Amino acid sequence: MAIYNARREKAVVVYHHRPSSFACSGLEISVEQTIKGGGSRTVVGLAGKQFITYCYNMNLADVELFRTIAALGSLSAAARHLGTTPMLVSRRLAALEGQIGARLFHRTTRSLSLTTEGEAFVPHAAALIETRDAALESVSPRRIGLSGTLKITAPNVIGHAVVVPLISELIADNPSLHVDLTLSDGVIDLASTGLDIAIRVAPLKPSDMIATKLADNPYVVCAAPSYIARLGQPATTADLVGHPCIKLHAMNSWPFRRGEEIDRVRIEGPFSTNTVDSVRAACLAGVGIAMMTYWDVREQLERGDLKRIELEDAIPHELGIWAVFPTRRLMPSRVKVLIEALRASLASPADSNGHCGPTRLPD
């Protein structure tokens, strides 16, 4: 067993029959055990220096429990999720803290939050569970298919239109697989919530993200046929000023590309809202012109419920659909299968207007 002191000096120690008995050649050893939260920490003196042992018999079920508590934000919510009692969850958490030798959560009767040590432990907990799952998958018979819990987050529209149908197929083909899907148009932190994968719409891959691109997803300017019949359609970006535009909160301007430059055109209109679903609904109702991503309105464009508006002086900014991961190391098979299924599903045929799905428009 390797032990270290505060200066990261290392010594190798071998346990004998009792936890307080060590063998280490040529060095004088003294042992003191302290109990904390139901666990123990062993302090060892070697040649006048103090070392603290690391515990290697950590209960991975309790590590997974820690991830669940961190994701849900309370002991009672974790207990409901796991089908047990808050008292048992509290006892198991205390046992884990005892094994680690550090408090992982600040706990009061009304609140729970990660300590500094708890925040530091989150990515390591994820790595421990991923390693366990990968090890089990590596020795499981192929005939049983995918297993474990696949935790996903995705934007609302793409989640409903693309992810949910794929999940239905994956569960049907893999009876041992469980899926936990969170739909949100906000950005959810993967590490602190224990998510396996996040589906995100973004212009480019940020440098701090571990991600792979699934498909192009350019913005589309569109309107209902009833609106175009009543008020016509703009020919240039300047013409947008004379049309009521439907605004998504925090998006008071629309991004267009002119050559290599991105031009943000300020828009105005009588209606604004906080979700893509409601922007699309208002556009379908003829309230005004909207800018949404291709996959937000793909079905409506194909059916002719909405018409794409192409401007003469600029094209809408291109985005992409990305799969984001907490780590590439030991990625579970269920995540790899989902990625390939998403790529296949997002490879769209041409729509009713003759456009080849979300591919880039010509310069």
Side-chain angles (χ1 to χ4, degrees), residues 222-228 230-232 242-247 254 268-273 278-290 305-306:
C222 57
S226 61
Y227 174 89
I228 295 173
R230 189 173 74 253
L231 296 175
H243 287 266
C245 296
I246 303 167
K247 295 192 291 185
W254 290 353
E268 297 294 340
F271 181 70
S272 63
T273 182
S278 50
V279 170
R280 184 177 59 192
C283 191
L284 287 166
V287 172
I289 297 174
D305 298 333
L306 293 176

Side-chain angles (χ1 to χ4, degrees), residues 95-213:
L96 178 64
E97 291 176 327
Q99 289 178 328
I100 294 173
R103 182 173 289 277
L104 300 175
F105 291 97
H106 296 296
R107 299 193 285 280
T108 69
T109 55
R110 293 187 177 182
S111 67
L112 180 140
S113 61
L114 286 164
T115 62
T116 301
E117 292 79 8
E119 291 176 352
F121 187 57
V122 165
H124 299 292
L128 285 168
I129 300 305
E130 288 167 9
T131 302
R132 180 203 64 183
D133 291 346
L136 292 175
E137 286 183 13
S138 70
V139 297
S140 296
R142 293 290 181 186
R143 61 183 176 82
I144 69 171
L146 302 175
S147 61
T149 300
L150 178 59
K151 297 183 179 181
I152 314 165
T153 181
N156 279 287
V157 174
I158 291 177
H160 286 295
V162 180
V163 180
V164 171
L166 287 181
I167 287 173
S168 175
E169 295 177 10
L170 285 175
I171 291 175
D173 294 339
N174 302 275
S176 297
L177 179 67
H178 298 270
V179 178
D180 186 328
L181 173 64
T182 300
L183 295 181
S184 172
D185 291 327
V187 176
I188 299 176
D189 181 67
L190 274 69
S192 64
T193 53
L195 289 163
D196 294 307
I197 182 172
I199 310 304
R200 291 181 183 162
V201 176
L204 295 172
K205 173 187 172 184
S207 59
D208 60 345
M209 280 173 30
I210 302 171
T212 184
K213 193 173 185 179

Side-chain angles (χ1 to χ4, degrees), residues 261-283:
E261 299 295 323
I262 300 299
D263 181 22
R264 295 191 174 275
V265 177
R266 189 168 184 82
I267 49 93
E268 297 294 340
F271 181 70
S272 63
T273 182
N274 67 325
T275 69
V276 173
D277 297 282
S278 50
V279 170
R280 184 177 59 192
C283 191

